[in-house]
Amino acid sequence: MECRFIKCHGSGNDFPLVDGRMLSLSDADWGQLARALGDRAGPVGGDGLLVLTAGDEQAAFGMRMFNSDGSEAETCLNGLRCVARAGFEALGIDHAVVRLKTSRATVAAAAPLATSVYTIEETAGPATLDLADWPLAGAGARLIDAPLASLSPAQRFTAVAMPNPHLVGFVDRIDEEELVRIGQLCEAAPAWLPNRANVSFVEVRDPVTLFVRTFERGVGLTDSCGSAMAASTYAACLTGRIGYDRDVTVLNRGGLVRARAAADAMVTLYGNATWEWEGEVIVDLAQARAGDLRVLRHHDAEIAAWAQVADAAR
């Protein structure tokens, strides 16, 4: 099949984005397309695949997100901003309710984070703490700033669903090897965590600044994960490390977002939705392989504008 897409990113979390409103693909085919386009060794590459889908009575449009391994995630907040931009441009609107896999979110065009950086405000939640929904065995009904013996006898975690599952550990200094080790344990889908989970280590740099590093379910170690930044912000408030209803900066390897968690467990992020380039590619769905690529347009000004933000964040 021939597939047209936009290569985009939210806070360095990069994806091909496809307008799927007129496409009739099975779930299995969408998974194959995600494997083909997300393959870092292929002509496109990305942390997964974003799909703009049709709306319904309550939502102007919808979003589906498939990880690079072909699995479908409940949400992706960095990706949601990109899909929101595509939906706004397609429908000529600047705010909307968006249908996600298991929930809904509100999105709106916002004042730029920096000059020439297209910015979206998104509110998602409520974050939930009930482990029966994951499921996560052996940790009780909730896990809040406590050890999880299956992963580490020393590291304390807070388990938050946003609505995808996140294990958030606060550390003085991020040990990337340990993060990968724990992430891979969760990625293996052990009997006590059959649906896997995202794992983040978080440094509290000051009362209004967090740094988040994430091993993302279905992706691996990633420069940025929007729902992880939202879950980490809520977990920091829940455990008293930062205050509710306070604007904080959340840094990551890909740049930053602004975040605010409310006591009702709703989390708002302000972040970029940056177009990098647009293209068409021939995809063999049976083999999950992308072949001939034609680049249609580069967005050099947007790339340069975000590079300045990312450099400052680092």
Side-chain angles (χ1 to χ4, degrees), residues 118-260:
Y118 190 102
T119 301
I120 296 284
E121 171 189 348
E122 56 187 342
T123 300
T128 60
L129 304 173
D130 187 357
L131 294 179
D133 293 337
W134 288 41
L136 172 58
R142 295 181 172 187
L143 183 71
I144 301 175
D145 211 19
L148 186 57
S150 305
L151 295 179
S152 169
Q155 179 61 52
R156 306 174 78 85
F157 290 98
T158 297
V160 179
M162 200 67 226
N164 46 347
H166 290 270
L167 290 167
V168 178
F170 293 94
V171 297
D172 294 330
R173 186 173 180 275
I174 291 171
D175 181 338
E176 200 163 280
E177 289 186 3
E178 179 68 357
L179 174 59
V180 170
R181 183 190 71 81
I182 291 174
Q184 288 176 339
L185 285 175
C186 294
E187 186 73 0
W192 51 269
L193 187 64
N195 295 322
R196 307 179 294 168
N198 304 282
V199 183
S200 294
F201 281 176
V202 182
E203 298 174 6
V204 181
R205 297 280 177 86
D206 60 48
V208 292
T209 309
L210 305 176
F211 181 88
V212 179
R213 192 82 167 110
T214 301
F215 190 100
E216 188 172 358
R217 179 183 62 171
V219 178
L221 196 63
T222 182
D223 283 348
S224 177
C225 174
S227 58
M229 291 186 288
S232 297
T233 301
Y234 179 67
C237 292
L238 184 68
T239 59
R241 289 175 166 88
I242 61 175
Y244 286 110
D245 298 310
R246 187 172 191 178
D247 291 335
V248 299
T249 298
V250 186
L251 304 170
N252 56 68
R253 288 285 184 87
L256 60 85
V257 298
R258 311 292 185 199
R260 183 175 63 254

Side-chain angles (χ1 to χ4, degrees), residues 268-279:
T268 298
L269 299 183
Y270 298 83
N272 71 304
T274 297
W275 286 176
E276 295 186 305
W277 51 280
E278 300 173 42

Side-chain angles (χ1 to χ4, degrees), residues 75-92:
T75 190
C76 169
L77 295 184
N78 285 332
L80 173 59
R81 298 196 302 277
C82 296
V83 172
R85 177 176 177 177
F88 291 168
E89 293 180 358
L91 300 177

